[in-house]
Amino acid sequence: MTKVIGLAGGIGSGKSTISRYLTELGAVLIDADKAGHEVFTDTEAWRELVVAFGQEILTPGGEIDRKKLGEVVFGNAESLSRLNKIIRPRMIALMKARIEEYRRQGANMVVVDCVMPAPPEVIRTEGRWTPQVDEVWVIAVSKATVIKRLKEQRGLEEEQAVARMSSQLSDEERVKYADAVINNDGDLDEVRAKVKELWKRLEVV
Ligand code: ATP
């Protein structure tokens, strides 16, 4: 039977790294971020977004400019909520269809790499994308480690890293909804071993 894992963690917490280790072990990956981008190309979503936020969110070619859209909603709770109302149901439907497809193909394990920028009440229900997610694995990592990694490996300024982290849920909030917690403060070998251990646990369940 297919096991579906929702992988959650803040910016720079190690979602891509851990997803990669899981795919090496045989999991298939659904990149929620990429799927999210597809939603913006849906004609009906396009129309609703333009009605809600105006022509200023479009590229010269008439496509949704996600960067401009981000600027419009950033720090504005009401706009963010409007955006979520348009995007979230479509996102959930898309994820559900993808998961179903992998189930039909008989995949052993499906990992959904999701960021979970949503409030806790949403995580509990919709944030699990669908009740089809069997477990939520949360990556916990100290702020100091994330800042160091983002500075060294992505060239982000400390203030940028802090601003992005503080616009997301805290690890304390995330771990409340976790079936398993992966600490990623250690080195890559350590986290790889932890992932393998969790994988083995699932295999025997
Ligand atoms: P984003 O939210 O921005 O997509 P992410 O959660 O996918 O980020 P990664 O890209 O996996 O995070 O990791 C962020 C950076 O930290 C990468 O450069 C990665 O190589 C590095 N990294 C992740 N885990 C470790 C680790 N245990 N030791 C050293 N570097 C790490």
Side-chain angles (χ1 to χ4, degrees):
M1 215 183 69
T2 309
K3 294 260 169 52
V4 186
I5 305 300
L7 198 59
I11 178 172
S13 60
K15 293 178 297 295
S16 312
T17 306
I18 290 169
S19 302
R20 199 174 60 244
Y21 292 159
L22 285 165
T23 56
E24 283 168 15
L25 291 168
V28 287
L29 178 68
I30 299 177
D31 185 331
D33 215 29
K34 274 198 197 134
H37 296 178
E38 279 177 43
V39 169
F40 286 98
T41 61
D42 175 89
T43 317
E44 187 61 21
W46 183 95
R47 200 186 53 79
E48 286 183 29
L49 288 168
V50 174
V51 169
F53 303 108
Q55 304 274 341
E56 69 195 77
I57 60 159
L58 297 176
T59 63
E63 285 168 4
I64 304 289
D65 185 329
R66 283 179 291 106
K67 193 160 172 279
K68 283 189 193 155
L69 182 60
E71 283 160 14
V72 171
V73 301
F74 188 76
N76 183 330
E78 200 189 318
S79 298
L80 197 58
S81 150
R82 271 179 103 178
L83 175 63
N84 278 337
K85 279 207 184 89
I86 299 170
I87 295 303
R88 199 168 279 280
R90 292 182 166 90
M91 184 74 185
I92 290 168
L94 182 68
M95 299 304 272
K96 201 169 167 174
R98 289 270 154 89
I99 291 172
E100 269 315 304
E101 181 56 33
Y102 281 129
R103 277 194 201 281
R104 260 201 307 278
Q105 292 173 11
N108 185 17
M109 195 208 251
V110 177
V111 176
V112 185
D113 170 352
C114 55
V115 205
M116 278 214 302
E121 62 276 16
V122 178
I123 294 172
R124 221 188 237 304
T125 54
E126 300 155 63
R128 283 183 170 235
W129 298 116
T130 69
Q132 300 185 42
V133 174
D134 300 309
E135 289 196 11
V136 174
W137 292 1
V138 169
I139 306 163
V141 53
S142 74
K143 282 189 176 163
T145 306
V146 174
I147 291 169
K148 186 168 174 282
R149 286 180 187 154
L150 291 179
K151 267 165 90 173
E152 284 175 5
Q153 303 184 32
R154 293 214 191 134
L156 269 173
E157 295 294 333
E158 178 150 350
E159 302 80 68
Q160 289 174 302
V162 171
R164 294 200 195 169
M165 285 164 76
S166 57
S167 73
Q168 297 183 329
L169 278 187
S170 64
D171 280 352
E172 291 73 33
E173 278 301 318
R174 275 194 202 92
V175 298
K176 286 187 195 162
Y177 307 96
D179 296 293
V181 178
I182 304 173
N183 183 284
N184 191 19
D185 275 302
D187 63 20
L188 290 170
D189 286 343
E190 229 172 280
V191 73
R192 190 193 278 267
K194 173 80 182 167
V195 166
K196 206 163 181 184
E197 192 188 304
L198 284 171
W199 175 271
K200 282 203 184 125
R201 177 178 67 80
L202 261 198
E203 270 190 330
V204 294
V205 172

